[in-house]
Structure formats: C-alpha cells, structure tokens
C-alpha cells in the first residue's frame, strides 16, 4: 500500500522539485491542493493530517505555523525551511553524518538541511569528531551556487536579463552582514565553538554548487592524508557520497572545477587538495536543488518509511 504524502508549499522552487521526484516514486500517493485552492484552509488542514509524510516548503514563520496545524501523531514532518534545524526536538536530516541515520529512523520531526551546510557539515563533522579539526578553529567557508537557490524571484531576475546586463551579475557575493541564516547549523552540527566566516557567491548559472573549506595544516590534528583517510572511512559505502582521491585532477577542466556536474542527481562529491606549504582545501560539489534540498528531503522520507534510500533518486 502506497504512502500518502503532502507537500505544503508545492508551488515553490523546492516544492516543485520534490513533487517532480515523487511523481515517479513507486511507493507514494501524492495528496495535492489545486493552485486555485491553495488558500483553502480546510482542505490544507485535511491534507496535513491525512498524510503519512508532510513536506514543508515554506518560509520559516509559515513552517512553524504549519507544524502547529498537524494534530495527527503519526504524521512525519520533513521541514525544508531553516526553522527547526537546530531545535532539540527535531532531527537533522543528513543520514550520512555519523549517528544521524539511526536517529532519523525513529523521528517524526525531521529538519531538512540547508544546501551550503550539507557540503560543509559532511566535510567537517567527521574531522571535528576525530580531533583533526579543533572545535575552536577559526573557520571560513566559501561557496558558489546557481541562482535557483534564491527562489522564483531571483530565477526570474536572471532569466529576464541578457548581454551586458547579465554580465553585471555574473558573480555576486551576498550576505555581507556576515549573519547568514545557515550559520547556526554550520556551527552546531559539526560541533564548532564559534560560527564560521561565511559569504556565499551567486553565479550566473541556474543549478549547481561548490562549497569550500580552507584549512592550515599547522592548526590541525593531522596532515591532509589523515583528513582524507577519515572522510574515506566515514563515507565508504554511502550511495550518494563520492570521495575522490587526494589531490584528484580527473574532474578539472583546464584547471577549473565545474559546479554543475552533479545537477539532476542526489549525489555529493567530496575533494581534498593539499600543497607542500601546509595549505589544504576541502571541497564539496552538489546540486543545490538536489542533495542540497529536494533530493535530500526524498532521501529522508525513504529512510523514515523503511524504504531503500535511493528509491526515486539518481
């Protein structure tokens, strides 16, 4: 018997991506609200409480409000907003992180991770746990992402431009107040004492992401080889995580690493680059709308329902 699933906010960017994945999912029946009735509170309430799994694809305040409307104790809520990612009553939805899969199997409140933190936490948490990165490390995180992460308004803005007007927004750093909403999970989930310095850049491409964590070997608990070995031991056998060899060159095109190679998949690729001068760069490549959002949400659903985690995902 198929599981009933409802997407609250199904017409937003993440909601549409989840819906696309679930329409081909063999174990799911989608409960839908027609677009012209999306403000029908009674119909929405019925779907929220009839569903086995509810995906919340809403702004933070609306997500908190929606949780209060779910009175069915059996309903599993997977929240794609940032409202509950550091809440003690919710489980953080990255199954590959040490210990998380067991917690997710038994939770009815799952906080889907942010796209940037997905790359950053997978790169750093195993190394913090092994004392290879000190918890008080003065961490910086850099990232470049496609404009789809900004939602419908940003997508429309980029697609409406051309020529020199488009070149003007080819790459733009944002969140220069240094208070990005992902900072709480980027600090808490890996276990750092202080938040990282984090300024992402939006590039002139629709989907794709690279997250970078620069390190100095002299401040670490081991060399780059130890970092790479720890990541290999942590993620060996994970279907969606691929760690490339240390200083891998196979993915470079004329010396460049393309951010779009994982687009359309739930795959995340990890890299470790190191130089003789003690400089190290950890890198993660993923689809910001895949493993960074909708793909991760479906993976969490599969896990929680006792299905193969790869069902309906590439």
């Amino acid at each position: 018997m198929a599981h009933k699933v409802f997407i609250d906010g199904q017409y937003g960017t993440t909601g549409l991506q989840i819906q696309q994945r679930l329409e081909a999912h063999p174990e799911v029946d989608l409960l839908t609200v027609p677009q012209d009735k999306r403000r029908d509170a009674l119909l929405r309430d019925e779907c929220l409480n009839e569903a086995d799994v509810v995906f919340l694809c809403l702004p933070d305040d609306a997500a908190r409000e929606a949780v209060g409307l779910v009175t069915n104790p059996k309903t599993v809520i997977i929240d794609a907003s940032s409202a509950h990612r550091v809440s003690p009553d919710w489980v953080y939805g990255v199954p590959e992180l040490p210990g998380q899969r067991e917690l997710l199997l038994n939770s009815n409140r799952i906080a889907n991770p942010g796209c940037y933190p997905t790359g950053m936490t997978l790169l750093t948490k195993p190394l913090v746990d092994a004392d290879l990165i000190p918890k008080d490390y003065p961490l910086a995180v850099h990232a470049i992402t496609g404009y789809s992460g900004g939602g419908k308004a940003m997508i429309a803005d980029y697609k409406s431009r051309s020529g020199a007007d488009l070149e003007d927004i080819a790459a733009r750093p944002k969140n220069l107040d240094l208070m990005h909403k992902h900072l709480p999970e980027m600090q808490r989930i890996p276990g750092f004492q202080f938040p990282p310095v984090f300024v992402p850049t939006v590039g002139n491409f629709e989907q794709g992401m690279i997250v970078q964590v620069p390190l100095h070997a002299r401040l670490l608990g081991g060399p780059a080889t130890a970092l790479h070995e720890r990541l290999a031991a942590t993620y060996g056998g994970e279907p969606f995580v691929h760690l490339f060899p240390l200083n891998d060159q196979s993915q470079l095109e004329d010396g460049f690493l393309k951010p779009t190679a994982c687009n359309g998949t739930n795959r995340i690729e990890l890299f470790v680059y190191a130089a003789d001068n003690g400089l190290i760069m950890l890198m993660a490549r993923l689809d910001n709308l895949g493993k960074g959002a909708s793909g991760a949400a479906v993976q969490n659903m599969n896990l929680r329902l006792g299905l193969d985690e790869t069902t309906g995902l590439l």
Side-chain angles (χ1 to χ4, degrees), residues 70-260:
V70 178
T71 57
N72 184 348
K74 295 182 179 180
T75 299
V76 176
I77 301 177
I78 300 176
D79 183 10
S81 81
S82 60
H84 300 102
R85 290 174 184 160
V86 294
S87 170
D89 299 324
W90 291 65
V91 176
Y92 194 67
V94 181
E96 296 88 355
L97 291 176
Q100 288 303 108
R101 185 170 275 112
E102 293 74 18
L103 296 174
L104 288 164
L105 280 168
N106 299 295
S107 178
N108 283 359
R109 297 294 182 267
I110 296 171
N112 217 52
C115 51
Y116 300 114
T118 296
M120 179 265 193
T121 57
L122 284 169
L123 286 169
T124 59
K125 180 169 175 53
L127 306 182
V128 173
D129 290 348
D131 295 322
L132 289 168
I133 301 180
K135 292 183 178 180
D136 62 352
Y137 192 94
L139 199 72
V141 179
H142 308 290
I144 185 165
T145 184
Y147 56 76
S148 58
K152 285 187 173 181
M154 186 177 289
I155 293 171
D157 179 37
Y158 272 83
K159 289 191 172 182
S160 69
R161 298 175 183 246
S162 62
D165 190 34
L166 189 58
E167 290 179 5
D168 286 342
I169 58 171
R172 295 184 294 176
K174 61 176 298 189
N175 299 105
L176 290 168
D177 60 356
L178 304 181
M179 295 295 291
H180 196 285
K181 70 176 184 177
H182 288 165
L183 285 180
E185 62 187 291
M186 294 173 83
Q187 177 182 351
R188 177 174 174 174
I189 301 304
F192 288 106
Q193 292 181 12
F194 310 103
V197 177
F198 175 51
V199 176
T201 296
V202 177
N204 180 24
F205 55 97
E206 188 164 2
Q207 275 176 250
M209 171 177 286
I210 291 177
V211 180
Q212 301 165 272
V213 180
L215 299 170
H216 292 269
R218 61 185 173 80
L219 301 178
L220 303 178
T225 52
L227 274 59
H228 189 272
E229 288 168 2
R230 179 64 178 181
L231 293 175
T234 301
Y235 300 124
E238 287 290 347
F240 294 119
V241 182
H242 181 74
L243 174 67
F244 283 90
L246 183 66
N247 289 324
D248 179 80
Q249 303 293 306
S250 69
Q251 297 299 298
L252 303 185
E253 299 179 4
D254 296 324
F256 295 93
L257 188 64
K258 183 169 67 174
T260 58

Side-chain angles (χ1 to χ4, degrees), residues 288-304:
N288 59 295
L289 298 182
K291 185 61 172 166
S294 58
V298 173
Q299 181 184 354
N300 284 322
M301 179 199 75
N302 287 339
L303 174 61
R304 179 60 184 84

